């Protein structure tokens, strides 16, 4: 598969994990919104063909991409600085996909190749769970600058994060770091910190795999409610999570990649 030249598109970062439901889409959304709020021009590409959730999380479900005079797709604007392309804009709502690998790859290829992103500082790509067709297609289609791997601290997730790290190493994509999501929760009654799924497991894995650890995101009911209602807003975000995302942006901003 020939690589697609993405002119005027700056840093391309894939958000991946070996496992489902670790918070990739939530993290991609938070990262994209936070970068955009800092004045960066951001594209968010959702290549989860089976469960594209980014439009829901940004409150832009059901919107349509435009087409320009050269028949190129125009992303949906979620914020003045944030353009979104999701496979969900290309599929009928509630359409279950029974497509096999090559068809999925074609849909992703179409989303990447036929979109007019304009000029971007960052392109964040939210991947489906696992290390399957979609992520492989992505690495074959685009020169990625790096990957951020999002995991939760349970043993099963830790195993799968390790697989994702190894996959990125195999395809020569720099692992920018690991993020531990759902690290802990604060009891709303007594304010005690509860390590629901274990403690520090992703940080430990980062050490073992010799990749950076980027930070911990707690379980946060408001974040889940905002995502479910359709529309994560930075204004309503737990300040701790806001700080973690901003620290991650600083951290990756200091890297040459
Ligand atoms: N830190 C958090 N606190 C509370 N809820 C969260 C947090 N992170 C994610 N969630 C919720 O967990 C669910 C799964 O998150 P999300 O969809 O981002 O995971 P995912 O890794 O993208 O899943 P998939 O593998 O299916 O693509 C969502 O309902 C989301 O709102
Ligand atoms: Mg997802």
């Amino acid at each position: 598969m020939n690589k697609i030249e993405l002119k005027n598109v700056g840093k391309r970062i894939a958000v991946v994990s070996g496992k489902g439901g670790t918070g990739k889409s939530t993290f991609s959304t938070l990262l994209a919104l936070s970068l955009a709020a800092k004045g960066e021009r951001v594209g968010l590409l959702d290549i989860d063909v089976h469960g594209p959730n980014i439009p829901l999380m940004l409150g832009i479900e059901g919107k349509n991409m435009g087409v320009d005079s050269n028949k190129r797709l125009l992303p949906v604007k979620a914020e003045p600085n944030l353009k979104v392309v999701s496979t969900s804009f290309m599929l009928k709502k509630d359409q279950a996909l029974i497509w096999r690998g090559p068809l999925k790859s074609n849909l992703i290829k179409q989303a990447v190749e036929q979109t007019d992103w304009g000029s971007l500082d960052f392109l964040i790509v939210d991947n489906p769970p696992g290390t399957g067709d979609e992520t492989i297609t992505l690495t074959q289609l685009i020169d990625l600058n790096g990957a951020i791997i999002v995991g939760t601290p349970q043993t099963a997730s830790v195993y799968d994060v390790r697989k994702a790290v190894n996959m990125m190493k195999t395809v020569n994509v720099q692992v920018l770091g690991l993020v531990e999501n759902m690290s802990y929760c604060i009891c709303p009654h007594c304010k005690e910190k509860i390590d629901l799924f274990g403690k520090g497991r992703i940080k430990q894995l980062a050490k073992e795999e010799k990749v950076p650890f980027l930070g911990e995101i707690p379980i946060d009911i408001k974040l889940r409610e905002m995502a479910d209602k359709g529309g994560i807003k930075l204004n309503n975000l737990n300040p701790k999570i806001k700080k973690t995302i901003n620290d991650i942006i600083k951290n990756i901003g200091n890297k040459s990649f």
Side-chain angles (χ1 to χ4, degrees), residues 196-247:
L196 212 57
F197 299 139
K199 195 168 192 283
R201 310 271 303 275
I202 300 291
K203 193 175 191 174
Q204 173 62 28
L205 178 67
K207 210 167 149 192
E208 286 166 22
E209 292 291 333
K210 298 186 176 54
V211 294
F213 180 68
L214 296 175
E216 295 177 344
I217 300 175
I219 294 180
D220 186 80
I221 294 177
K222 255 204 185 142
L223 176 58
R224 202 272 308 147
E225 281 173 353
M226 283 196 285
D228 276 1
K229 267 192 211 138
I232 295 180
K233 298 280 176 229
L234 291 181
N235 287 348
N236 300 331
L237 188 63
N238 173 335
K240 262 214 166 116
I241 300 180
K242 205 183 261 185
K243 180 172 184 316
T244 302
I245 303 291
N246 285 334
D247 287 348

Side-chain angles (χ1 to χ4, degrees), residues 66-74 114-115:
V67 180
D68 71 10
S69 52
N70 297 321
K71 299 213 166 115
R72 310 236 322 137
L73 295 168
L74 295 169
Q114 296 181 10
T115 299

Side-chain angles (χ1 to χ4, degrees), residues 6 12 29 37 45 65 67 71 190 203 215 226 234 245 251:
L6 288 175
R12 303 98 189 254
T29 302
L45 172 61
M65 288 190 284
V67 180
K71 299 213 166 115
C190 69
K203 193 175 191 174
M226 283 196 285
L234 291 181
I245 303 291
N251 187 324

Side-chain angles (χ1 to χ4, degrees), residues 17-42:
S17 81
K19 201 161 206 66
T22 62
K24 294 172 292 298
S25 302
T26 307
F27 176 78
S28 302
T29 302
L30 291 173
L31 182 63
L33 281 171
S34 304
L35 282 164
K38 290 182 187 305
E40 304 284 2
R41 294 162 303 170
V42 185

Side-chain angles (χ1 to χ4, degrees), residues 24-25 48 51 53 126-127:
K24 294 172 292 298
S25 302
D48 190 342
N53 296 138
D126 180 31
N127 280 254

Side-chain angles (χ1 to χ4, degrees), residues 10 36 49-50 65 79 91 93 110 120 129 135-136 175 179 200 203 213 221 223 230 251:
V49 172
H50 292 283
M65 288 190 284
E79 298 284 335
L91 302 166
K93 191 169 172 2
Q110 207 183 330
L120 295 180
T135 304
I136 292 167
V175 176
V179 174
K203 193 175 191 174
F213 180 68
I221 294 177
L223 176 58
N251 187 324

Side-chain angles (χ1 to χ4, degrees), residues 8-249:
N8 306 319
V9 173
K11 302 274 191 255
R12 303 98 189 254
I13 300 175
V15 176
V16 298
S17 81
K19 201 161 206 66
T22 62
K24 294 172 292 298
S25 302
T26 307
F27 176 78
S28 302
T29 302
L30 291 173
L31 182 63
L33 281 171
S34 304
L35 282 164
K38 290 182 187 305
E40 304 284 2
R41 294 162 303 170
V42 185
L44 180 54
L45 172 61
D46 174 9
I47 60 161
D48 190 342
V49 172
H50 292 283
N53 296 138
I54 291 290
L56 169 72
M57 294 194 179
L58 283 168
I60 52 171
E61 243 190 337
K63 295 232 167 158
N64 290 315
M65 288 190 284
V67 180
D68 71 10
S69 52
N70 297 321
K71 299 213 166 115
R72 310 236 322 137
L73 295 168
L74 295 169
V76 172
K77 269 200 172 183
E79 298 284 335
N81 273 0
L82 176 55
K83 296 176 179 174
V84 181
V85 170
S86 168
T87 49
S88 88
F89 298 142
M90 302 161 95
L91 302 166
K92 284 193 203 117
K93 191 169 172 2
D94 300 330
Q95 179 183 7
L97 271 189
I98 44 169
W99 296 1
R100 299 199 188 279
L103 283 173
K104 287 197 271 190
S105 296
N106 273 342
L107 186 73
I108 294 167
K109 189 165 181 228
Q110 207 183 330
V112 175
E113 201 168 36
Q114 296 181 10
T115 299
D116 182 0
W117 288 103
S119 296
L120 295 180
D121 300 306
F122 287 91
L123 179 66
I124 311 295
V125 189
D126 180 31
N127 280 254
T131 46
D133 289 328
E134 294 90 329
T135 304
I136 292 167
T137 300
L138 180 74
T139 61
Q140 290 172 340
L141 275 180
I142 300 184
D143 268 326
L144 290 168
N145 297 90
I148 296 178
I149 302 175
V150 181
T152 53
Q154 308 95 311
T155 302
S157 167
V158 175
Y159 281 163
D160 290 352
V161 170
R162 198 190 293 276
K163 275 190 216 157
V165 172
N166 287 329
M167 181 198 180
M168 289 301 138
K169 286 181 179 169
T170 308
V171 294
N172 289 320
V173 173
Q174 182 185 355
V175 176
L176 298 173
L178 310 188
V179 174
E180 185 173 276
N181 188 25
M182 308 190 196
S183 278
Y184 59 90
C185 64
I186 302 290
C187 170
H189 306 291
C190 69
K191 309 291 174 212
E192 191 191 339
K193 185 178 171 190
I194 305 164
D195 295 314
L196 212 57
F197 299 139
K199 195 168 192 283
R201 310 271 303 275
I202 300 291
K203 193 175 191 174
Q204 173 62 28
L205 178 67
K207 210 167 149 192
E208 286 166 22
E209 292 291 333
K210 298 186 176 54
V211 294
F213 180 68
L214 296 175
E216 295 177 344
I217 300 175
I219 294 180
D220 186 80
I221 294 177
K222 255 204 185 142
L223 176 58
R224 202 272 308 147
E225 281 173 353
M226 283 196 285
D228 276 1
K229 267 192 211 138
I232 295 180
K233 298 280 176 229
L234 291 181
N235 287 348
N236 300 331
L237 188 63
N238 173 335
K240 262 214 166 116
I241 300 180
K242 205 183 261 185
K243 180 172 184 316
T244 302
I245 303 291
N246 285 334
D247 287 348
I248 291 173
I249 290 174

